[in-house]
Amino acid sequence: MLPAVFLDRDETLIANATLPPPASPPTGWRPGDLYDPARVELLPGALEACRGLRSAGFVLVIVTNQGCVARGSATLLQVEAVCHRVCEVLRSEGGASLIARVYYAPYHPGGSVPGFAREHPWLKPGGGMLRQAARDLGLDLSRSWLIGDAERDREAGVHAGLPTEQCLRCGPGTTYPTVLDAAEQILSLA
């Protein structure tokens, strides 16, 4: 079984909350809802972090809440297009994708779209996406790490069975200002 690094997408790998609003936001849109792949912007250090972790033998998996689907401000196809674009820009120097798989939770209990307006085990802080990835990809959760910008990301890792100390939070005001800082911590202990 392989070790992984689970990566949150928004405000960990790419900017979303800091992007200016779209010219004509869809109904239900909130700041941070990203539905246009042309607006994908890697955060500083994201590419270097992923390259370093992948070179060290970690399987990289993106796990992201996408309640914009439940709220009706994005479709599944739009979320998938954004995730596809993130994988396109996160490539090795040789051109291979660094990301093994992307899991997203299109649910939100406060949504309005039937089928998605509910709680779900994949919705962070639940650990469902991570457990599914472990089953699908043969991952060893006890040797895996998580990097995210929110406390719910860390909680998802703990709920999935990752050791608490292997669930790192990055961003302004945290121990790890960027995903690269968190990745360097992991690499120093690997």
Side-chain angles (χ1 to χ4, degrees):
M1 296 183 78
L2 302 168
V5 176
F6 296 97
L7 298 155
D8 176 53
R9 191 188 83 177
D10 301 335
E11 294 304 314
T12 299
L13 295 172
I14 65 170
N16 78 328
T18 56
L19 293 175
S24 300
T27 303
W29 183 85
R30 290 187 192 172
D33 288 353
L34 183 57
Y35 59 88
D36 181 358
R39 294 177 56 123
V40 167
E41 246 180 64
L42 286 180
L43 288 171
L47 180 59
E48 296 83 355
C50 290
R51 284 180 175 171
L53 292 166
R54 187 68 203 106
S55 290
F58 289 99
V59 176
L60 303 184
V61 178
I62 294 175
V63 289
T64 179
N65 280 355
Q66 292 300 313
C68 53
V69 174
R71 290 191 310 275
S73 67
T75 66
L76 289 175
L77 289 177
Q78 288 171 317
V79 168
E80 289 169 4
V82 170
C83 290
H84 179 75
R85 179 66 184 142
V86 172
C87 292
E88 281 182 341
V89 296
L90 290 173
R91 294 202 171 270
S92 70
E93 290 182 18
S97 179
L98 297 167
I99 306 299
R101 183 109 23 116
V102 177
Y103 293 83
Y104 63 90
Y107 310 98
H108 193 282
S112 59
V113 176
F116 298 110
R118 63 186 174 99
E119 286 290 344
H120 191 277
W122 279 29
L123 192 61
K124 292 185 275 182
M129 286 188 281
L130 288 78
R131 286 191 297 273
Q132 186 64 52
R135 287 189 295 272
D136 293 346
L137 303 172
L139 304 176
D140 182 348
L141 293 174
S142 69
R143 294 173 42 221
S144 295
W145 295 76
L146 177 135
I147 305 173
D149 71 305
E151 187 58 30
R152 71 176 169 261
D153 299 318
R154 285 179 28 83
E155 291 171 11
V158 172
H159 288 146
L162 274 67
T164 303
E165 65 276 7
Q166 291 173 206
C167 299
L168 308 180
R169 208 167 151 209
C170 67
T174 69
T175 304
Y176 309 103
T178 70
V179 67
L180 181 57
D181 297 309
E184 288 173 346
Q185 173 67 11
I186 294 169
L187 293 170
S188 76
L189 298 171

